[in-house]
Amino acid sequence: MSGPVVDILMYHSISKRGGATSIAPAIFAEQMAAITEAGLPVITLDDLLAAREGKARLAPHSLILTFDDGFQDFADAAWPVMARHGFRPIVYLPTAYIGRAEGWHGIADPPRALMGWGTIRALAKEGVDFGSHTVHHPDLDSLSEETLEAELVRSRSEIEDRLDAPVRHFAPPYGIAGPEVRARIAESYHSSVGTRLGQAGPGDDPFDLPRIEMFYFTDRARWRAHLAGRGAAYLAARRGLRALKGAAMKPWKGL
């Protein structure tokens, strides 16, 4: 990949709940410490977009920290660690569930609690960025035009009203956003991250930015190797396994 490379790291819950969307707090702390030890800069999505507009320059390899869903354990377990390292993450919020438990398809058992607006406002003042993850956490490709519009606009408006700050960035639930939906997202936001596995380069669509699921890097040595630039083969293998799994599931789609 020519040009600067950006690893957009994807997290959900920092807890011992288990499953692919949870990272144990001790492992998360090790992952953050490894970033500092590697000397790689942690930037924001605004920094990435500024570089694309020729207003800033990026290091050859940098990272962005993203968290989907806004779980309470972000405030309890993740933010204190990142704050000590001076990292500034972004959290994508599904606004209908703020201050409640998760209630969408594929939830954990028992459901995990989301942060309330008071906690979110306090974190924003401390330097945490917030983006939209819709209102109700739906599959956007399945919605009517009217419902899609409401999910995109209402979520952004509520976060802006609550935090008195612009919301520029978006993450579609489940990483699902086809070309038509991405075009609509581009009318309301400046970027959108998905679940496509990979590193972001200059040629990537800003409304289909790839991310790295950190569940794949819970092994300390593997994560350190990736940060040192020796992780290409492993990342390629994970992409290959994903492709095989996706192909195997296609005949059953819709059942």
Side-chain angles (χ1 to χ4, degrees), residues 182-231:
R182 290 200 299 271
R184 178 58 195 87
I185 292 169
E187 295 176 8
S188 294
Y189 299 90
H190 293 258
S191 80
S192 181
V193 294
T195 57
R196 184 166 55 90
L197 181 61
Q199 297 174 295
D204 282 297
D205 182 349
F207 295 98
D208 187 25
L209 290 169
R211 287 193 286 180
I212 294 177
E213 291 186 42
M214 291 307 291
F215 179 76
Y216 294 150
F217 287 96
T218 54
D219 179 84
R220 180 187 307 177
R222 183 172 290 135
W223 177 230
R224 291 177 185 274
H226 176 84
L227 294 173
R230 302 191 303 272

Side-chain angles (χ1 to χ4, degrees), residues 69-72 92-107 111-117 120 133-139 151 154-155 158-159 162 173-174:
D69 302 326
F71 292 120
Q72 177 62 38
Y92 297 101
L93 302 172
T95 55
Y97 297 96
I98 300 303
R100 300 168 53 195
E102 58 183 321
W104 50 84
H105 175 72
I107 62 174
R112 295 165 288 192
L114 274 68
M115 297 182 287
W117 285 115
I120 292 167
H133 202 39
T134 72
V135 179
H136 298 100
H137 203 287
D139 170 356
E151 289 287 338
R154 284 175 50 199
S155 57
E158 182 167 11
I159 299 169
R162 296 276 190 171
Y174 317 109

Side-chain angles (χ1 to χ4, degrees), residues 31-116:
Q31 291 172 338
M32 296 299 102
I35 293 171
T36 294
E37 292 167 12
L40 298 180
V42 173
I43 65 172
T44 67
L45 283 163
D46 287 329
D47 294 330
L48 174 60
L49 296 183
R52 287 177 168 232
E53 296 167 0
K55 299 176 181 177
R57 294 187 65 181
L58 298 180
H61 187 185
S62 55
L63 300 95
I64 296 173
L65 308 179
T66 71
F67 291 76
D68 290 7
D69 302 326
F71 292 120
Q72 177 62 38
D73 56 55
F74 173 85
D76 297 338
W79 174 238
V81 174
M82 290 182 287
R84 288 197 295 271
H85 288 281
F87 298 161
R88 184 180 177 184
I90 183 169
V91 182
Y92 297 101
L93 302 172
T95 55
Y97 297 96
I98 300 303
R100 300 168 53 195
E102 58 183 321
W104 50 84
H105 175 72
I107 62 174
D109 184 21
R112 295 165 288 192
L114 274 68
M115 297 182 287

